[in-house]
Amino acid sequence: MLGGAHPDTLTSRNNLAGALQETGASGLERAVGLYERTLAESELVLGPEHPRTLLVRNNLADALSQSGECERAVATWESVLADSERVLGADHPDTLLARSNLARAHRSVEATESVLADCVRVLGPGHPRTLTTRRDLARAHRAAGALIEAIAECERAVRDSTRRLGDDHRLTRTMRGELASLRRKLVTMTAPYGAGASHRVGRTAD
């Protein structure tokens, strides 16, 4: 075994990269490098299809996406998804994570709806992965110009997150803020048309 490449060390390094990813541009650049190093050692020590290796690949793709390397991120997520489905099965939480991330990268309403349905079935409506996927669906609707649909999904996400995680949880607060933003945008879009105009607005330009 390589020095410093014990599985627990790899996990700690993966977690450190995740923390760096949240600290801004300089931290994000360091996180990508640390994920890449961790991935190379994880593939060597645990194997390329080990669940921990797949998780590091997923996290690397997330950091790449966040840093603007979208094509590389999508290609990585596609490979993670293919391997996860083969090794872990279609309903494994890590497979659902890969599907959710890939759907988010494509901003695909249809793909996000599909993975959301499976998350609800497998994990339950209040699971953090389900809630995050519902938030992603709201964002996909918004990107597609379907503001009312986006608000409906975000309202559901806020209700489920409050019930499961609590009113002060970071995910609850984030989705409550997004809901407020969506509602303000709807008011802005419908105000020029007078009272009752919101009933006529189905899709809006983002």
Side-chain angles (χ1 to χ4, degrees):
M1 179 178 294
L2 291 177
H6 187 279
D8 289 344
T9 302
L10 296 174
T11 298
S12 297
R13 196 179 296 156
N14 180 64
N15 293 339
L16 175 59
L20 287 171
Q21 193 175 338
E22 302 296 325
T23 61
S26 61
L28 180 59
E29 183 178 353
R30 292 172 60 198
V32 169
L34 188 54
Y35 279 134
E36 290 174 332
R37 177 186 172 192
T38 305
L39 176 59
E41 293 190 1
S42 187
E43 288 177 337
L44 183 62
V45 173
L46 301 175
E49 296 182 346
H50 190 280
R52 290 193 192 185
T53 304
L54 294 176
L55 182 59
V56 177
R57 284 168 61 196
N58 174 81
N59 293 343
L60 171 60
D62 188 60
L64 289 169
S65 176
Q66 191 176 341
S67 64
E69 296 187 55
C70 298
E71 290 187 7
R72 187 179 168 199
V74 168
T76 302
W77 270 322
E78 287 175 342
S79 70
V80 170
L81 177 56
D83 289 343
S84 294
E85 288 179 332
R86 183 177 64 258
V87 175
L88 303 174
D91 285 344
H92 191 280
D94 288 352
T95 304
L96 295 176
L97 173 62
R99 284 179 59 200
S100 179
N101 286 335
L102 191 56
R104 172 166 53 85
H106 288 301
R107 291 191 173 187
S108 169
V109 170
E110 182 178 1
T112 309
E113 286 176 335
S114 176
V115 69
L116 175 60
D118 287 338
C119 284
V120 171
R121 175 177 57 83
V122 175
L123 303 173
H127 190 279
R129 170 51 41 198
T130 305
L131 295 170
T132 302
T133 304
R134 192 176 294 281
R135 179 204 63 192
D136 291 343
L137 179 56
R139 290 176 176 178
H141 277 306
R142 178 171 183 166
L147 196 57
I148 289 178
E149 290 87 341
I151 289 173
E153 291 297 339
C154 206
E155 286 175 338
R156 175 69 182 274
V158 169
R159 288 196 301 270
D160 289 346
S161 185
T162 301
R163 186 181 306 114
R164 171 65 185 270
L165 303 177
D167 192 62
D168 290 330
H169 192 277
R170 184 176 67 172
L171 184 57
T172 307
R173 296 198 305 269
T174 297
M175 290 188 294
R176 193 184 302 119
E178 292 196 18
L179 177 59
S181 176
L182 287 166
R183 286 172 170 167
R184 286 194 298 270
K185 186 173 180 64
L186 180 62
V187 169
T188 300
M189 296 299 298
T190 60
Y193 302 100
S198 61
H199 297 293
R200 300 193 296 273
V201 176
R203 306 182 77 83
T204 66
D206 192 24

